[in-house]
Amino acid sequence: MAKPTVDYSLYLVTDSGLNHPSRTLLQSVEDSILGGVTLVQLREKDLDTPAFIELARKVHAVTKKHNVPLLINDNLEVALAIDAEGAHVGQDDISCVEARRLLGPNKILGISTGTIEEAQKALADGADYIGIGTCFMTQTKSPKRTLGPIGVRAILEALPAESEMKTVVIGGIKHDNTRRVVTHSAGAHGRIVDGIAVVTGIVGAQDAKVASEQLLSEFKIGHELATTKHQNNIRGTVQDGRASVEDVIKSFPQMLTTLREKSPLTHHISNYVVMNDTANATLALGGSPIMAPSAIEAEDLSKVVSSVVLNIGTLTDSFVDCMYEAGKHANAQSKPIVFDPVGAGATKLREETTRKILNAMHVDIIKGNAGEISTIAKIIGGGDKTETIAMRGVDSLGSGFSNPAAIVQAVARREGAVVAMTGITDYVSDGFRTVAIENGNAYQGRITGSGCMIASSIASFAAISPNDHFAAAVAGIVALNLAGEHAGTRADVHGPGTFRAAFIDEIANLTPQQMLNEARIKTVTV
Ligand code: 3NM
Ligand code: MG
């Protein structure tokens, strides 16, 4: 019999120990298939071979009835005895080459991989697909480390473009992170995971059919989004529906007016040093701040706020917990997140937290200085040729980039986020539109928190500009830079202390018309 063609979209991996007590494993398998599972792996780590064979025959009867292939985990004897459609092996199990020899050419063979080397070896050893994991923390297995979507992407990108190797992602996959895993792991060469492999999310669910339906639907949406993301990346031109930079600037007065009318609430998980100044700057601009660093109220807040700021300055464990909670719920509620990776490269903790945040959620806007953006460029790495070249500039030049606009654009495209890099000149890009902003005053660099206040301003604008975060980032920077210019030239400003007070005043005094008349913005062609 020829090798069956397999739809990997939703891959159920069983575990009797985790099966919901309200039903048998067999029922879980059948319910999940009715809910859309396209492939099943029977994974029984504690059964001896005769008992495994007995269970496998029963499961196979169910999967055959629905025309869904069944793979057996690790135990080739069982796979052969019941004539399963294939097998799945781990790195510590029987070798891939030996498994292929036993199974013959017409059975499906998959192997778990957690590194680029393992994935490349699987290709050479004749596997049909690789399970890439562990993606997120999971109780089903105790992983030594998790890859996150960024790590999954690195493995996808290491596979040759022409290879027919199929890929599924595994570990902690739930309906509420599926979409992000699929879009965010999409490689620069357009390879998207072919499926998600799930244990607890299905067998442990109250209703395996409903859980499977949700997972499959999220996978399909993610796949669609990832395809679009890739098309955007390769086209690399201004897409239909994106306002031109000129039109964005023309919309500034209306944006500030709307912000002041709506006074959107922004959840700040900020740091001890700047909490007061960022709250005051938000109020002065016309928004409403809520400074709430407790994870316990993050879900409730996500329902009432219009945007979120995650700032990793003065980092503590409880801030980190709150950022994860707030980020997860903000994504679920489609509330924009502004990520301010303060001092990202300064310590291991901050770098790791930055990586975890980028992995655990979709951040809509990243705002940082050159050093912080360079740390992010290093974390996300890789990419296509132009991106790699741009990113390499980070290593060779430290924070003094030879071509800052190219790096900002590359990071934006790679992350699918708007990136704002602040400095004497500020750069903003959504990967397609890239601008340099020349407004601002030197005093802004002489008080603490002026960058954090810009993140707050961006978040207020993002709240009223949900469909164009690029416009929000540019407007947010221009507004505070103009306030800086106005404050810095005031006769009553004699130093940083008086500037700080005058700055808050001038944020409040800023008029919509000034946003249009005084903005100094140049489009940069990278
Ligand atoms: N393999 P859940 S992680 C079976 O990393 C398995 O290779 C993994 O379970 C790997 O969906 C894993 O409950 C468990 O998180 C996945
Ligand atoms: Mg495994």
Side-chain angles (χ1 to χ4, degrees):
M1 220 171 68
K3 190 181 285 194
T5 39
V6 179
D7 176 356
Y8 290 87
S9 303
L10 181 56
Y11 184 1
L12 166 68
V13 180
T14 70
D15 188 318
S16 300
L18 296 167
N19 193 49
H20 199 273
S22 66
R23 55 177 189 264
T24 64
L25 188 70
L26 228 50
Q27 281 170 317
S28 289
V29 171
E30 182 142 40
D31 290 354
S32 72
I33 291 174
L34 294 172
V37 157
T38 56
L39 177 64
V40 177
Q41 178 191 138
L42 189 60
R43 182 173 179 273
E44 290 298 334
K45 290 294 186 192
D46 299 324
L47 291 184
D48 58 20
T49 298
F52 199 167
I53 289 177
E54 194 186 325
L55 178 65
R57 274 199 217 293
K58 290 182 189 152
V59 173
H60 204 197
V62 173
T63 59
K64 275 200 283 201
K65 186 167 94 187
H66 297 284
N67 253 323
V68 167
L70 174 68
L71 312 186
I72 301 296
N73 180 283
D74 190 16
N75 193 326
L76 273 286
E77 211 184 322
V78 177
L80 293 169
I82 70 150
D83 194 25
E85 284 69 37
H88 181 92
V89 296
Q91 289 292 329
D92 303 327
D93 303 338
I94 174 177
S95 80
C96 206
V97 171
E98 180 61 9
R100 174 57 79 204
R101 196 185 63 75
L102 290 169
L103 286 172
N106 294 333
K107 297 285 187 190
I108 303 297
L109 175 60
I111 180 162
S112 306
T113 57
T115 64
I116 288 172
E117 294 69 32
E118 286 171 359
Q120 285 168 340
K121 184 162 192 310
L123 192 64
D125 287 353
D128 294 296
Y129 78 89
I130 51 174
I132 304 176
T134 305
C135 187
F136 296 121
M137 283 310 288
T138 169
Q139 275 141 24
T140 308
K141 228 179 169 179
S142 17
K144 284 192 258 341
R145 59 190 194 99
T146 52
L147 293 168
I150 293 172
V152 174
R153 179 167 65 199
I155 293 178
L156 289 179
E157 287 179 346
L159 294 171
E162 69 283 0
S163 120
E164 298 200 344
M165 175 69 84
K166 300 294 181 186
T167 57
V168 298
V169 58
I170 186 162
I173 307 298
K174 308 281 184 230
H175 72 85
D176 62 356
N177 61 23
T178 294
R179 199 183 292 202
R180 164 148 182 77
V181 170
V182 177
T183 58
H184 225 65
S185 61
H189 314 308
R191 193 182 281 273
I192 304 167
V193 286
D194 295 290
I196 48 171
V198 182
V199 184
T200 343
I202 295 176
V203 299
Q206 188 80 35
D207 186 328
K209 177 167 176 275
V210 170
S212 302
E213 284 166 354
Q214 278 182 336
L215 282 160
L216 186 61
S217 146
E218 285 299 310
F219 175 75
K220 285 182 175 163
I221 294 170
H223 213 270
E224 184 77 37
L225 288 170
T227 308
T228 317
K229 176 183 153 188
H230 176 62
Q231 283 169 351
N232 285 346
N233 284 356
I234 50 179
R235 253 182 270 144
T237 52
V238 174
Q239 298 297 296
D240 292 347
R242 279 178 218 261
S244 68
V245 170
E246 292 66 40
D247 286 343
V248 166
I249 297 169
K250 277 188 210 142
S251 71
F252 281 170
Q254 189 54 51
M255 288 174 79
L256 183 58
T257 302
T258 305
L259 193 163
R260 287 179 174 158
E261 276 165 13
K262 295 205 168 150
S263 193
L265 189 60
T266 298
H267 181 188
H268 284 71
I269 301 141
S270 192
N271 73 66
Y272 296 129
V273 177
V274 304
M275 215 156 321
N276 192 265
D277 281 330
T278 52
N280 275 325
T282 304
L283 279 171
L285 185 65
S288 322
I290 177 160
M291 323 306 281
S294 166
I296 298 164
E297 59 186 352
E299 181 173 4
D300 287 349
L301 281 174
S302 72
K303 293 171 188 152
V304 295
V305 302
S306 298
S307 57
V308 179
V309 173
L310 306 180
N311 174 311
I312 66 164
T314 66
L315 202 55
T316 68
D317 291 354
S318 72
F319 277 130
V320 173
D321 290 347
C322 184
M323 286 192 243
Y324 290 161
E325 263 321 278
K328 199 173 68 185
H329 290 292
N331 279 170
Q333 306 271 347
S334 299
K335 305 287 171 74
I337 298 175
V338 179
F339 179 38
D340 191 349
V342 180
T347 65
K348 269 263 155 296
L349 173 69
R350 290 189 193 204
E351 188 171 331
E352 269 316 299
T353 304
T354 298
R355 182 192 307 276
K356 279 194 206 163
I357 285 176
L358 292 175
N359 258 331
M361 66 193 73
H362 177 71
V363 298
D364 299 273
I365 301 166
I366 300 168
K367 192 252 17 135
N369 61 27
E372 290 153 3
I373 298 301
S374 83
T375 300
I376 287 185
K378 280 179 205 153
I379 289 172
I380 63 180
D384 68 19
K385 214 167 175 184
T386 35
E387 286 171 347
T388 311
I389 290 164
M391 307 256 191
R392 214 172 279 144
V394 174
D395 291 324
S396 53
L397 297 158
S399 58
F401 301 135
S402 62
N403 191 349
I407 290 174
V408 168
Q409 180 172 299
V411 175
R413 222 176 254 198
R414 188 116 176 90
E415 275 304 284
V418 170
V419 175
M421 187 166 91
T422 53
I424 293 173
T425 300
D426 307 301
Y427 295 90
V428 180
S429 180
D430 63 355
F432 301 97
R433 296 168 292 181
T434 303
V435 294
I437 303 168
E438 299 292 353
N439 297 99
N441 183 275
Y443 268 127
Q444 285 169 265
R446 294 180 60 195
I447 59 167
T448 189
S450 57
C452 301
M453 289 187 248
I454 285 178
S456 298
S457 166
I458 292 173
S460 293
F461 278 104
I464 56 99
S465 178
N467 298 320
D468 195 346
H469 294 149
F470 170 81
V474 178
I477 291 174
V478 166
L480 289 219
N481 282 353
L482 287 177
E485 288 178 7
H486 299 163
T489 50
R490 252 164 63 162
D492 60 345
V493 168
H494 309 293
T498 41
F499 173 79
R500 179 186 177 204
F503 187 35
I504 303 286
D505 288 350
E506 296 303 330
I507 295 172
N509 291 337
L510 186 68
T511 67
Q513 203 53 39
Q514 286 167 337
M515 293 269 300
L516 180 62
N517 296 347
E518 298 176 22
R520 284 179 288 143
I521 300 172
K522 282 198 305 256
T523 296
V524 186
T525 311
V526 173

